[in-house]
Amino acid sequence: MKPRCLVLAGALALVLSGCSPSSSGAPEKNLDDPAKKDIAMRLVSSAENSTLDWEAQYGYIEDIGDGRGYTAGIIGFCSGTGDLLEVVTRYTEARPGNALERFLPALRGVLGTDSHEGLGDAFTGAWAKAASDPVFRRAQDEERDHAYFGPALVRALDDGLSALGQFIYYDAYVMHGYADAKGTVGFRTIRAGAVEAAAPPSRGGDEEEYLNAFLDARVEAIRREPSHSDTSRVETAQRVFVREGRLQLETPLAWKVYGESFRIDEE
């Protein structure tokens, strides 16, 4: 399940302006830098939607057979886990009477299941059509930042991680959610396993060693989930960046995920 998480509002404003310079001589930037955040979104989209064009995914929706009902939007909000409901709730608060509002009771009814009851083609069609509305797109952006990007960034900054580590945390939040649920292993458990194996930089540890420990724990989590078995999202993507020492997500970035090759040449 991808539970709704609380964001420490002030923490998102943290900017490590006093960071030591990167190998290029430029000051380090966090993942909330617009260019870095766009890279993070393209990296996630390569795994979630097999494309770097994440901004074309607001209208995406399908049941991928993972037991979470419909998967939709820019990071794969799910009808069975509640974050898709949160998107529609946000949209309705901002634009009452929208075409998705009538599905709110059905979305509440399918929480914790993969059921399509009360949804079906009428819902998926309305979702896809709503993607042309900037208010709907903003609702997705806000839920992404509230439940995934923001909490991941706060936790990563607290652990002393660079932009790469911040992205690795964010991607884990997107795929696994924060807490464990039936049949899943959440970010909290993955991080606990990593901390047992290696100290994060905030505790005096080496960042690359710690990130490898985190990725080891994540691979184990993926293999324990019935709906996830392919670990290329880690092994031929994020592990590659760690091995190459791209702690600032320096471009060019080249990786493979689920058998497909991707590349980002410039920020």
Side-chain angles (χ1 to χ4, degrees):
M1 182 176 289
K2 299 178 180 177
R4 186 168 182 169
C5 304
L6 296 177
V7 179
L8 303 179
L12 281 177
L14 286 173
V15 177
L16 303 183
S17 56
C19 287
S20 58
S22 67
S23 58
S24 66
E28 294 184 355
K29 296 178 180 179
N30 291 321
L31 205 64
D32 56 355
D33 171 81
K36 297 294 184 187
K37 189 172 185 178
D38 183 67
I39 287 175
M41 289 301 297
R42 285 190 274 173
L43 289 167
V44 169
S45 185
S46 72
E48 293 286 330
N49 300 100
S50 299
T51 177
L52 298 182
D53 188 5
W54 68 269
E55 292 176 298
Q57 307 310 311
Y58 288 100
Y60 162 75
I61 183 165
E62 67 175 321
D63 189 327
I64 61 175
D66 64 353
R68 295 176 172 89
Y70 289 115
T71 295
I74 55 173
I75 61 167
F77 303 106
C78 296
S79 59
T81 63
D83 50 4
L84 192 152
L85 169 62
E86 294 294 344
V87 170
V88 177
T89 299
R90 286 179 181 275
Y91 183 37
T92 298
E93 289 171 353
R95 191 182 293 289
N98 69 77
L100 290 170
E101 182 175 2
R102 69 185 181 95
F103 296 101
L104 283 170
L107 287 169
R108 296 186 189 103
V110 300
L111 286 177
T113 77
D114 61 358
S115 173
H116 296 180
E117 186 174 356
L119 300 170
D121 291 344
F123 174 69
T124 60
W127 178 280
K129 187 174 181 179
S132 62
D133 185 352
V135 177
F136 179 60
R137 296 196 295 272
R138 185 167 64 247
Q140 291 193 39
D141 293 343
E142 290 174 351
E143 184 60 20
R144 172 202 60 200
D145 290 347
H146 172 81
Y148 301 101
F149 190 86
L153 181 58
V154 169
R155 181 72 266 183
L157 289 172
D158 191 51
D159 283 342
L161 302 181
S162 63
L164 174 58
Q166 293 163 28
F167 165 69
I168 287 173
Y169 272 23
Y170 169 53
D171 189 67
Y173 260 84
V174 168
M175 184 173 180
H176 302 277
Y178 175 69
D180 297 354
K182 184 178 180 181
T184 70
V185 179
F187 169 88
R188 179 174 58 191
T189 298
I190 294 170
R191 180 186 173 276
V195 171
E196 286 183 4
S202 62
R203 301 183 188 180
D206 176 79
E207 180 164 9
E208 292 185 21
E209 180 180 350
Y210 173 73
L211 290 178
N212 275 311
F214 184 88
L215 294 176
D216 289 342
R218 188 170 174 196
V219 166
E220 182 180 350
I222 291 171
R223 288 174 174 163
R224 288 170 57 186
E225 294 190 19
S227 60
H228 295 121
S229 59
D230 189 315
T231 61
S232 63
R233 190 165 179 158
V234 170
E235 301 294 10
T236 56
Q238 296 170 33
R239 187 92 72 182
V240 173
F241 304 152
V242 174
R243 185 168 60 247
E244 293 176 347
R246 298 185 184 275
L247 295 179
Q248 281 294 298
L249 284 174
E250 300 94 336
T251 54
L253 294 168
W255 71 100
K256 293 182 179 180
V257 63
Y258 306 140
E260 296 186 76
S261 297
F262 298 92
R263 183 180 179 91
I264 297 175
D265 287 310
E266 297 180 1
E267 293 188 22

